[in-house]
Amino acid sequence: MEIRFQNSPNEVKGMDTASLRENFHVGELMQDDQLKLVYSHYDRVIIGGAKPVAKSLVLPNEAELRADYFLERRELGIINTGGAGTVVADGITYTLNKLDALYLGKGTKEVSFQTADLSSPAVFFLLSAPAHHTYPNRSMTKEEASPVKMGEVATSNQRTIYKYIHQEGIQSCQLVMGLTVLNEGSVWNSVPPHTHTRRMEVYFYFDVPEQHRVFHFMGQPTETRHILMANQEAVISPPWSMHFGAGSSNYGFIWGMAGENYTFTDMDPVAIAEIR
C-alpha cells in the first residue's frame, strides 16, 4: 500500500507537472488480477482498485493499519465500472453489474472480489474511511440510485448523477459516494466549481476513450493547476481545492468524499469569472 501525505496550498503553488502528479494523481489503479491501495492522509482515506480476471482477489490487512483486519475500524464503498462481478463479504455474495454499488460496514472481516465473465472483467473502485459505528452492509443498483439529470446543451454539461452512499441513501459514518455520467457532446463536470473544506474528495474517471483525456482542474480558486487524466485513473482533491474538469470526449467519473461533514449539498461555490 502506497502512502501519500498532505500538502498545503502554499506548497502546491510551486509544484511542477511531475510533482502534481506524484502527490495527487493515482495511475495504474486497475491492473489484471491485482488489488492496489493508496493511503491518503487527507482524512485518512484509502483509494483502491481491484480488477479480478483469472482469480479471486482478497482485500488485504495492511500492516500500516495496525488492525486485526482491514475493516476493523473502517468502512468501505465499492462501485463496479466494468463487467459483472461479485463481492463476497463474510460469506455473503453480492452481485454487482456495471455502475452498481456496495457498502461494507465496520467489522466486516473477509472481503473478496471475482469476475463473472473472463471476457468482460469487473473493475471495482474502492474508497475506505475510518468508521466509529457499524452500519449494515448494503448493495444498490444504478436504477435504485435515484438518477438526476442536470446541465444544458448550451453549457456542454448535460449529465446524469447517481447517488449511492449519502444521507438519504445507503447509510455510513462519513463516506459519501456516487457517480456522474456525461451525455454525448458534453464534456464539463462539476461546474459551477466549488470547494468544501470540511471534507476531501476523490475522483475516478472511467469510460474515457483510449485516445482522449480529461483536464482535471484543482487548486485554490485564484491559483489553479491541472492534471491530465486517462481512463481508469483517480485524482485526490484536498479539502481546500476546487475540483472540476473538461474532457476531449464525454466520460464518467466516480466521486467519493470523507471528512467532518456528511451533507452532500454542503459546498462553497466559486463563480467562474473569479477563477484565475
Side-chain angles (χ1 to χ4, degrees):
M1 183 168 65
E2 181 187 351
I3 310 296
R4 302 269 186 106
F5 290 96
Q6 297 184 19
N7 307 96
S8 75
N10 286 335
E11 287 177 87
V12 176
K13 286 180 185 180
M15 287 185 179
D16 61 12
T17 298
S19 295
L20 284 170
R21 294 180 72 83
E22 181 181 356
N23 284 278
F24 301 107
H25 175 263
V26 183
E28 300 181 349
L29 193 57
M30 301 299 177
Q31 302 294 316
D32 289 359
D33 288 327
Q34 293 186 35
L35 193 155
K36 179 175 179 177
L37 299 171
V38 176
Y39 186 117
S40 169
H41 275 265
Y42 289 110
D43 289 301
R44 298 188 178 275
V45 158
I46 296 178
I47 304 150
K51 186 181 178 183
V53 179
K55 65 179 183 180
S56 175
L57 300 177
V58 176
L59 185 66
N61 179 28
E62 296 286 346
E64 183 71 16
L65 300 180
R66 301 296 193 272
D68 289 335
Y69 51 95
F70 189 94
L71 294 177
E72 182 181 14
R73 300 185 298 269
R74 287 184 159 269
E75 57 188 356
L76 175 65
I78 303 164
I79 297 178
N80 182 16
T81 63
T86 58
V87 179
V88 181
D90 286 347
I92 299 176
T93 299
Y94 299 88
T95 298
L96 300 183
N97 293 311
K98 185 172 183 178
L99 305 190
D100 292 347
L102 173 65
Y103 170 82
L104 298 179
K106 172 180 176 288
T108 305
K109 292 184 177 180
E110 297 180 355
V111 182
S112 62
F113 305 86
Q114 297 82 29
T115 278
D117 182 355
L118 297 183
S119 66
S120 180
V123 180
F124 297 106
F125 176 74
L126 321 177
L127 197 66
S128 173
H132 60 275
H133 178 78
T134 299
Y135 285 96
N137 295 347
R138 181 185 167 190
S139 62
M140 180 179 284
T141 66
K142 67 182 180 69
E143 291 79 15
E144 295 172 322
S146 303
V148 176
K149 295 186 181 301
M150 297 184 68
E152 300 176 9
V153 172
T155 48
S156 304
N157 65 349
Q158 278 192 318
R159 61 202 188 273
T160 304
I161 298 175
Y162 301 83
K163 300 177 188 176
Y164 298 94
I165 305 171
H166 64 111
Q167 214 164 23
E168 286 78 43
I170 299 175
Q171 297 298 291
S172 70
C173 290
Q174 61 168 321
L175 270 181
V176 178
M177 284 185 77
L179 61 88
T180 300
V181 177
L182 279 79
N183 291 8
E184 185 175 353
S186 289
V187 296
W188 284 99
N189 77 66
S190 303
V191 173
H194 59 270
T195 61
H196 32 69
T197 56
R198 292 150 296 280
R199 60 193 181 206
M200 66 84 73
E201 189 160 7
V202 175
Y203 277 10
F204 173 74
Y205 289 97
F206 65 91
D207 286 351
V208 181
E210 184 178 355
Q211 69 275 25
H212 289 276
R213 295 293 183 269
V214 177
F215 287 76
H216 179 88
F217 292 92
M218 62 168 294
Q220 293 178 298
T222 56
E223 284 284 349
T224 59
R225 301 291 185 270
H226 72 268
I227 299 175
L228 254 69
M229 306 295 299
N231 191 40
Q232 297 181 352
E233 294 184 342
V235 62
I236 298 168
S237 180
W240 49 262
S241 175
M242 295 186 307
H243 34 281
F244 66 97
S248 55
S249 172
N250 61 316
Y251 51 90
F253 67 100
I254 293 171
W255 38 265
M257 297 171 273
E260 180 180 354
N261 196 320
Y262 185 66
T263 307
F264 173 80
T265 55
D266 178 18
M267 304 174 190
D268 300 313
V270 179
I272 293 176
E274 296 175 3
I275 297 173
R276 300 289 183 268

